[in-house]
Amino acid sequence: MLFVGMFIGSIFAGPFADRFGRRLTLIIATLLETIIGAGSAFLPNFTSFVVMRTLLGVMIGFTNPIAVTYTTEISTTEYRGKSQVLIQFFFVIGALYSSGVAKIFLGSFGEGNW
């Protein structure tokens, strides 16, 4: 459901950022992403966890395209390509890091002790 949320978020990110500005949209999406991500650790059941992960996916879908666009707009032409590569690189590093942390705390991805 995370990827479904990312798809939905990416559809609405552009029009939302055009209307309210990329910087404000990026700040709000990042704050909501942090709150939803931290809040999903304290949920009582699996259904609410899936709902929160879907909402987290929407926020990730907002953040990724807007961050790349905003970084491109504020970078000089000399560093524009490098900034895009770096931001995409750190999105991937963040995903790998979170998988590593999950592996440490879960012990195994197949046990179902989420």
Side-chain angles (χ1 to χ4, degrees):
M1 292 307 296
L2 180 77
F3 293 114
V4 171
M6 289 172 68
F7 176 72
I8 293 168
S10 66
I11 290 172
F12 294 106
F16 196 89
D18 288 340
R19 181 175 176 133
F20 298 106
R22 294 188 211 316
R23 184 172 185 264
L24 178 63
T25 303
L26 188 59
I27 290 169
I28 291 171
T30 303
L31 287 173
L32 288 174
E33 190 176 330
T34 303
I35 292 166
I36 292 169
S40 66
F42 303 104
L43 297 172
N45 57 36
F46 184 72
T47 304
S48 58
F49 179 75
V50 170
V51 169
M52 288 295 274
R53 292 297 285 188
T54 305
L55 290 174
L56 181 64
V58 171
M59 292 299 105
I60 292 170
F62 258 79
T63 304
N64 196 354
I66 294 172
V68 172
T69 306
Y70 183 67
T71 305
T72 302
E73 290 175 350
I74 64 171
S75 299
T76 62
T77 55
E78 180 183 354
Y79 296 107
R80 195 164 289 157
K82 292 175 188 174
S83 67
Q84 285 186 2
V85 169
L86 281 175
I87 200 161
Q88 291 297 343
F89 173 75
F90 284 114
F91 272 116
V92 172
I93 292 298
L96 290 173
Y97 175 76
S98 64
S99 295
V101 169
K103 176 69 174 160
I104 290 168
F105 284 102
L106 291 177
S108 171
F109 289 130
E111 292 178 12
N113 57 353
W114 61 278

